[in-house]
Amino acid sequence: MQIFKINPERPERKLIKQAAEIIKRNGVVVYPTDTVYGMGVNALNEEAIEKLFVVKERPKNKPFSVIVEDIKMVKKFACVDSRIEKILAKLLPGPITVILFKKEILSPAQNFLMRGLPDILTSGTGLIGIRVPDYKITRLLSAELNIPFTATSANISGRPASGKIKEVVRQFQNKKNQPDLILDAGDLPESEPSTVIDLTSCRSKILRSGPADNFLKKII
């Protein structure tokens, strides 16, 4: 488990690239967000997702959310109509996870289904949680990867998520299965995990309270 300090205001490009390469090689990277520390793997690769379940000691009936770069990428992997797109434009980026229907990706030219987000990621629910954090390091990592990566909090399943770097490291340091890399941006501003909002029906619903609750109540 490598631990590299990274400047949250002026992130070192070489560290962003190194983290992206590890994720592309199906490794596990801990990274800071606008809420708590997250743990990312290639969300398109089943082997990487399997590894994340092991490192996090998470039951496979609990799905993972993903981080994408922007609303354009949201539309590539989830079902977004004009109503939802208008809502997303108000919500993202920010400390919010939106629940949408996962979609397959159709290639018009060859008329076959290209690989989308695998069922293991969503525990077969057909739903996907998606984040676009308002945080420089995460946005740069997303742009460097240009693929979805997991947005689960960096903790052992059943233990609390944290923005305190020492607590994050402590949870994994004596474990047999560890993240490959931790990007240490220091202690993050005090925050809860992201607010979760379900947009799969006509009536939007907050499923988990979090830092964006007051803002959401004004627009849903």
Side-chain angles (χ1 to χ4, degrees):
M1 181 171 69
Q2 300 181 86
I3 303 174
F4 292 155
K5 289 188 177 295
I6 187 167
N7 188 320
E9 300 299 326
R10 298 182 298 279
E12 296 85 347
R13 178 64 67 173
K14 65 178 182 180
L15 295 182
I16 298 293
K17 287 181 175 293
Q18 185 166 352
E21 284 303 313
I22 289 173
I23 290 174
K24 288 176 181 178
R25 297 197 303 267
N26 300 332
V28 180
V29 172
V30 171
Y31 56 87
T33 75
D34 52 356
T35 55
V36 296
Y37 274 91
M39 191 150 51
V41 302
N42 181 350
L44 299 176
N45 187 279
E46 292 191 17
E47 179 183 338
I49 298 165
E50 289 273 10
K51 183 176 180 180
L52 182 58
F53 274 114
V54 172
V55 172
K56 194 173 168 73
E57 300 179 13
R58 184 182 179 96
K60 289 188 177 179
N61 63 347
K62 292 187 175 183
F64 290 121
S65 297
V66 300
I67 286 176
V68 298
E69 185 176 1
D70 50 27
I71 293 176
K72 182 179 179 181
M73 190 177 284
V74 175
K75 293 167 67 175
K76 182 176 180 181
F77 292 98
C79 299
V80 176
D81 59 20
S82 58
R83 178 188 71 89
I84 292 175
E85 187 168 6
K86 289 178 182 177
I87 295 174
L88 295 181
K90 296 177 181 178
L91 298 181
L92 304 177
I96 297 167
T97 299
V98 295
I99 305 298
L100 299 167
F101 286 108
K102 179 172 77 77
K103 76 174 183 180
E104 302 295 341
I105 304 172
L106 183 66
S107 170
Q110 301 182 38
N111 195 30
F112 69 94
L113 288 175
M114 297 173 61
R115 185 178 63 178
L117 297 169
D119 287 340
I120 186 175
L121 183 77
T122 62
S123 299
T125 63
L127 305 176
I128 184 64
I130 298 184
R131 284 207 67 199
V132 182
D134 188 14
Y135 192 78
K136 187 174 290 185
I137 292 172
T138 321
R139 300 295 296 276
L140 288 172
L141 181 58
S142 188
E144 183 70 29
L145 281 166
N146 197 33
I147 57 172
F149 58 101
T150 54
T152 187
S153 54
N155 59 289
I156 299 298
S157 187
R159 297 180 64 178
S162 182
K164 306 293 185 184
I165 187 62
K166 288 184 178 178
E167 173 57 25
V168 172
V169 172
R170 187 181 299 118
Q171 290 200 37
F172 295 103
Q173 62 186 0
N174 294 320
K175 294 291 185 177
K176 177 182 177 182
N177 299 293
Q178 301 177 333
D180 297 289
L181 173 65
I182 294 178
L183 291 177
D184 172 5
D187 289 344
L188 307 179
E190 194 71 27
S191 177
E192 301 171 286
S194 63
T195 300
V196 178
I197 180 172
D198 186 345
L199 297 180
T200 60
S201 64
C202 293
R203 187 168 183 174
S204 305
K205 182 180 179 182
I206 295 176
L207 301 183
R208 183 178 73 191
S209 293
D213 286 7
N214 291 335
F215 171 68
L216 284 174
K217 289 173 183 176
K218 295 177 182 178
I219 65 172
I220 66 172

